[in-house]
Amino acid sequence: MHTPDLYDGKTFTELADGIGYAKQVGFGTIDERGRLAADTLPNEIVYAGFSLGVMMAQMLAQTRPGAKGALLFYSCAPTSEFGGPWPQGVPLQIHMMDGDEWVLPPNQDLEAARELDATVEGAQLFLYPGDQHLFADDSLPGFDKEAAALLMERVLSFLDKIE
């Protein structure tokens, strides 16, 4: 597993502060850091992204040849954000809570996830009941033990099927 440091060593206790930092340095800078980190990795990997990190994981899975799959947690973007359709034969899982304010309108994450689920062969959208964003992070007050256990079961099953 490789987890690139897209925030140049900075950490935040509040989600809004992390997003604020990304806005301050620019999403282009964050994207470039992710691209550079991926250049050191083999092409044939599974990309995983959490919340804002979904943008990078989704972009790499869509645009970097050889992706083995993608796991998108708590967020999703329209494929048009990265220049085209989802690559044929690349399996995908998306996990979110159905009442998460970060994915509901006016954000388009849930709409994008539903579109991918409906149009991409092998895509799976899992909506968990609740309104927490980072619901599987046991260090946060919004941790949902049952949803996190189910998420882990589904992710491990997904990874078991990757060749």
Side-chain angles (χ1 to χ4, degrees), residues 8-155:
D8 200 28
K10 294 177 179 47
T11 59
F12 304 92
T13 56
E14 297 295 325
L15 180 62
D17 294 337
I19 291 172
Y21 172 77
K23 288 179 181 177
Q24 176 189 343
V25 300
F27 289 109
T29 298
I30 300 295
D31 287 350
E32 184 62 21
R33 290 174 184 170
R35 273 192 274 280
L36 291 172
D39 285 347
T40 67
L41 302 172
N43 287 346
E44 297 78 21
I45 60 176
V46 174
Y47 295 96
F50 297 84
S51 194
L52 184 59
V54 161
M55 296 296 285
M56 185 54 48
Q58 187 174 340
M59 185 271 298
L60 291 169
Q62 276 189 236
T63 63
R64 198 164 182 248
K68 293 291 214 171
L71 295 160
L72 309 181
F73 301 94
Y74 320 127
S75 185
C76 187
T79 57
S80 60
E81 288 285 323
F82 311 111
W86 190 259
Q88 188 172 2
V90 177
L92 167 66
Q93 265 192 4
I94 306 164
H95 300 266
M96 351 173 121
M97 283 201 154
D98 58 10
D100 177 1
E101 69 180 27
W102 289 88
V103 305
L104 296 173
N107 300 311
Q108 52 188 317
D109 296 53
L110 184 54
E111 293 170 27
R114 286 187 169 136
E115 176 72 18
L116 281 167
D117 186 46
T119 61
V120 173
E121 185 176 343
Q124 296 176 296
L125 170 59
F126 295 107
L127 294 175
Y128 301 82
D131 61 2
Q132 298 301 305
H133 186 59
L134 305 171
F135 66 88
D137 184 338
D138 65 1
S139 71
L140 297 175
F143 175 64
D144 184 317
K145 185 176 180 177
E146 289 178 22
L150 186 53
L151 177 146
M152 183 62 76
E153 180 183 311
R154 289 169 168 164
V155 167

